[in-house]
């Protein structure tokens, strides 16, 4: 959807890894405020995308081609084309539907990537190894926190902090009682031991005019 870019924004207004449109994001409870855009958040948006794909899969009779097409082009558009072909006595096979060019190419691209992953050895492709274990943890801090201050506290580059917490769209987390950051899991224990001292020294008093 986005070449794995959590900051991705399309010309049509779709955002994030999963390119959620505003209306769909609202249905799946993704927040959108001046401080926080959950369509950019890689973890929260992925949970929403899985739910949306499951819904589409059920809605279109567990037909994978229809599911993917509906995700890319919208379920209403796809249903209209299926009904139109039926009224005209035409095939309702995905390849016979009049869908946008981008949507038409979406399904074969997905199938091609799946083929390369499942049969990587046949194509002389060496895939990276991803261990089946958690690599991210969380730390919860008191109050609103500046991203730069937190990156110095964690010993991580600000750009890396922003990628792990892409839902935070400004220079700081949203105003509130607490702030939660995604961090590499190996840092969780160490940073939790020092977080109270950090929070006390880095409180932000944000006032809106």
């Amino acid at each position: 959807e986005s070449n794995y870019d959590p900051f991705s924004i399309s010309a049509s207004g779709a955002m994030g890894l999963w390119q959620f449109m505003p209306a769909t994001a609202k249905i799946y409870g993704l927040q959108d405020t001046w401080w926080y855009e959950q369509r950019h958040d890689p973890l929260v948006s992925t949970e929403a995308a899985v739910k949306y794909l499951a819904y589409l899969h059920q809605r279109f009779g567990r037909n994978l081609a229809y599911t993917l097409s509906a995700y890319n082009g919208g379920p209403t558009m796809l249903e209209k084309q299926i009904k139109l072909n039926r009224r005209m006595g035409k095939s309702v096979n995905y390849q016979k539907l009049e869908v946008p060019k981008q949507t038409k190419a979406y399904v074969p691209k997905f199938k091609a990537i799946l083929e390369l992953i499942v049969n990587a050895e046949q194509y002389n492709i060496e895939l990276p190894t991803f261990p089946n274990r958690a690599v991210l943890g969380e730390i919860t801090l008191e109050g609103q926190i500046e991203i730069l201050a937190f990156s110095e506290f964690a010993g991580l580059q600000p750009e890396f902090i922003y990628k792990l917490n892409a839902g935070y769209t400004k220079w700081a987390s949203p105003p509130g009682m607490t702030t939660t950051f995604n961090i590499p899991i190996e840092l969780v224990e160490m940073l939790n031991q020092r977080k109270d001292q950090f929070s006390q020294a880095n409180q932000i008093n944000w006032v809106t005019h």
Side-chain angles (χ1 to χ4, degrees):
E1 278 293 319
S2 62
N3 292 322
Y4 297 102
D5 179 7
F7 304 108
S8 177
I9 302 176
S10 74
S12 61
M15 287 187 183
L17 284 176
W18 295 94
Q19 291 292 278
F20 270 104
M21 293 294 288
T24 308
K26 187 175 181 179
I27 291 172
Y28 285 88
L30 296 178
Q31 298 178 31
D32 176 15
T33 69
W34 192 79
W35 291 96
Y36 190 29
E37 169 58 87
Q38 286 190 323
R39 285 185 290 170
H40 286 305
D41 188 301
L43 301 183
V44 177
S45 66
T46 295
E47 291 180 359
V50 170
K51 292 177 182 177
Y52 185 38
L53 284 165
Y55 161 74
L56 293 175
H57 197 223
Q58 188 69 32
R59 178 170 172 174
F60 289 95
R62 300 183 180 278
N63 183 306
L64 181 59
Y66 284 173
T67 300
L68 294 171
S69 182
Y71 189 92
N72 182 260
T76 302
M77 177 278 300
L78 184 64
E79 284 183 335
K80 285 182 179 179
Q81 295 306 317
I82 292 172
K83 290 178 181 178
L84 178 62
N85 274 27
R86 281 177 177 157
R87 284 201 304 268
M88 299 176 65
K90 295 182 178 181
S91 170
V92 293
N93 183 286
Y94 164 76
Q95 295 178 333
K96 302 297 183 181
L97 300 178
E98 291 294 328
V99 298
K101 185 177 180 181
Q102 179 187 17
T103 303
K104 180 76 77 174
Y106 190 75
V107 175
K109 282 182 178 179
F110 180 92
K111 290 183 176 180
I113 292 173
L114 180 61
E115 170 67 16
L116 292 175
I117 293 173
V118 173
N119 298 302
E121 292 184 3
Q122 179 181 334
Y123 298 101
N124 295 318
I125 297 174
E126 185 176 349
L127 297 174
T129 300
F130 293 103
N132 186 22
R133 58 178 174 80
V135 295
L136 285 182
E138 291 183 348
I139 182 171
T140 300
L141 304 164
E142 292 184 9
Q144 185 183 23
I145 303 296
E146 286 188 83
I147 305 296
L148 184 58
F150 179 76
S151 72
E152 293 176 353
F153 166 64
L156 300 170
Q157 291 295 320
E159 295 80 8
F160 185 54
I161 296 293
Y162 270 116
K163 283 187 177 180
L164 295 184
N165 302 275
Y168 297 159
T169 58
K170 299 298 185 291
W171 53 272
S173 62
M177 297 295 292
T178 60
T179 291
T180 299
F181 283 108
N182 298 316
I183 57 174
I185 198 166
E186 61 269 19
L187 297 180
V188 171
E189 183 177 355
M190 178 188 70
L191 295 184
N192 270 316
Q193 292 174 354
R194 300 162 45 203
K195 70 177 185 179
D196 290 341
Q197 181 180 357
F198 169 78
S199 295
Q200 292 172 7
N202 290 275
Q203 288 294 309
I204 298 175
N205 184 23
W206 180 262
V207 179
T208 302
H209 295 277

